[in-house]
Amino acid sequence: MDRLDVVALVGLLGLVAASTVADGVVVAAALGGFLLSLATWRLYDGRPWEALAWLAWVGTAVALVIDPGGALFPVAFFGFMLCGIGLLFGSRLGLLPDVWVAGRDSRE
């Protein structure tokens, strides 16, 4: 865990605490904005796969806000969630290519 992971954990715990007093849609919208900012920081930190994982979780928060209903809701909610988990663990375990340096050797 690095500094941004700690910030993410504290922020998510704060949003969980806020969900006890605020409307669920408002908390889900705040969650989406928070996750979007985390994705931006991961991208600037040079971790594009983790940034995509956080963006997938933004999709999870959007599914909560929009609530399409029927069978589409669990497919969207869990689909975005599993995609984010796969990208995060794939990046952390080194299973995904380092796209920032993939073409450097061929140009030099």
Side-chain angles (χ1 to χ4, degrees), residues 13-85:
L13 290 175
L15 285 169
V16 167
S19 69
T20 60
V21 294
D23 186 32
V25 173
V26 173
V27 174
L31 175 65
F34 180 68
L35 295 174
L36 187 59
S37 69
L38 290 174
T40 304
W41 281 108
R42 279 297 180 201
L43 187 61
Y44 283 130
D45 194 30
R47 297 180 181 185
W49 296 114
E50 289 186 32
L52 287 174
W54 289 106
L55 284 177
W57 289 326
V58 169
T60 302
V62 168
L64 285 172
V65 171
I66 294 175
D67 191 15
L72 186 58
F73 175 74
V75 168
F77 182 81
F78 290 112
F80 283 124
M81 185 181 294
L82 290 175
C83 180
I85 290 170

